Amino acid sequence: MMKKIALGVAAALMLSGAAMAEAVKVGIAAEPYPPFASPDASGNWVGWEVDLIGAVCKAAEMECEIVPVAWDGIIPALTAGQIDAIMASMSITEERMQTIDFSDKYYNTPTMIMGPKGMEMAATPEGLAGKIIGVQVSTIHEAYAQKHFAATAAEIKIYQTQDEANQDLAAGRIDATQADSIALDAFLATDAGAACCELKGAVADDPEVLGLGVGVGLRKGEDDLKAKFNAGIAKVLSDGTYETISKPYFASSIYGG
């Protein structure tokens, strides 16, 4: 009888462990970042990246749970085990790879400068000399602006969200903002964005800061989970799912070169 009980407990533990292994907690930024991820009127998270999470997890045969986490605490949440992966438009950079690992990239788009309509401005240190530039905290855009524009700009102003930077630009409180082209396109598609602002150009590439595209952030050493995400990404790219998901959001492919 004791042997049967022991076997029963062992089986239960194995099933429990398997169930826990299947529930992958995927962290997204708690701050809205349309069209990638933002809450709808009912509080449900929607957007391209949310759709992609579902597709990649399905392709990799993983059960995934989306967990919103404040952007500036999302890597600590990963390393502390509060989440198992990050899919929040996080660029693959050398600095981040000192702390975490990444999957293969799942998109890569240009980094742009946006400013007021009619204001002469180039996306260069000289073109932004004397300007107040707004960037989101703890992003590659903050790092890039500090590295390339701080010496000539009047101020690098830091915001908790890109939306706050966009609103201050529309209100005339800053002169420019730097962000991913798709995120800025989404703002320019709104009435407020169309009325106030325009893209001024792409910044010069700096792979050391801007990275090698966006990937899934993972704890170091979790090679099995990394392999599953890589397999899921490869499958949605090859079977047309990636293109199907992207069409409602973007006019052209954002996968990049």
Side-chain angles (χ1 to χ4, degrees):
M1 177 65 72
M2 290 301 295
K3 184 177 181 181
K4 287 183 179 179
I5 292 173
L7 288 171
V9 171
L13 287 172
M14 287 175 66
L15 288 172
S16 174
M20 288 177 65
E22 290 173 1
V24 178
K25 294 182 179 179
V26 181
I28 63 171
E31 301 83 359
Y33 192 58
F36 297 98
S38 57
D40 64 13
S42 301
N44 298 312
W45 284 86
V46 297
W48 179 82
E49 212 156 13
V50 176
D51 293 347
L52 187 68
I53 290 168
V56 168
C57 288
K58 181 179 178 181
E61 299 182 351
M62 296 187 296
E63 178 186 342
C64 292
E65 173 190 354
I66 290 178
V67 181
V69 181
W71 171 256
D72 58 0
I74 202 165
I75 289 179
L78 175 67
T79 57
Q82 296 166 8
I83 55 176
D84 302 306
I86 298 170
M87 287 187 74
S89 293
M90 180 169 283
S91 296
I92 304 164
T93 66
E94 289 291 339
E95 181 180 1
R96 287 174 178 149
M97 284 192 288
Q98 293 176 17
T99 305
I100 64 173
D101 199 1
F102 282 95
S103 72
D104 296 336
K105 74 164 188 179
Y106 59 87
Y107 85 84
N108 190 14
T109 51
T111 296
M112 306 291 289
I113 295 293
M114 181 171 69
K117 281 186 172 180
M119 180 183 287
E120 289 295 324
M121 185 185 301
T124 63
E126 297 76 20
L128 295 168
K131 302 291 193 295
I132 301 174
I133 306 168
V135 289
Q136 185 180 358
V137 67
S138 300
T139 62
I140 58 171
H141 307 297
E142 179 189 1
Y144 187 97
Q146 296 288 5
K147 179 178 178 179
H148 293 278
F149 301 140
T152 58
E155 180 185 355
I156 305 298
K157 192 169 183 179
I158 311 302
Y159 293 87
Q160 287 300 308
T161 70
Q162 183 58 41
D163 184 60
E164 291 173 337
N166 294 343
Q167 297 306 320
D168 266 12
L169 178 61
R173 289 187 282 268
I174 61 175
D175 301 306
T177 185
Q178 175 182 312
D180 177 86
S181 61
I182 299 299
L184 295 180
D185 283 344
F187 175 67
L188 291 171
T190 67
D191 290 341
C196 74
C197 307
E198 62 187 4
L199 296 178
K200 302 298 184 180
V203 303
D205 193 24
D206 182 348
E208 183 180 345
V209 177
L210 298 179
L212 303 170
V214 167
V216 182
L218 300 155
R219 283 185 291 275
K220 285 185 176 293
E222 299 209 343
D223 296 337
D224 289 346
L225 187 57
K226 179 178 177 177
K228 288 181 180 180
F229 273 108
N230 282 341
I233 292 167
K235 186 172 181 180
V236 300
L237 283 166
S238 65
D239 69 9
T241 302
Y242 187 94
E243 183 179 358
T244 300
I245 289 171
S246 300
K247 275 186 177 179
Y249 294 99
F250 312 117
S252 58
S253 173
I254 67 166
Y255 183 71

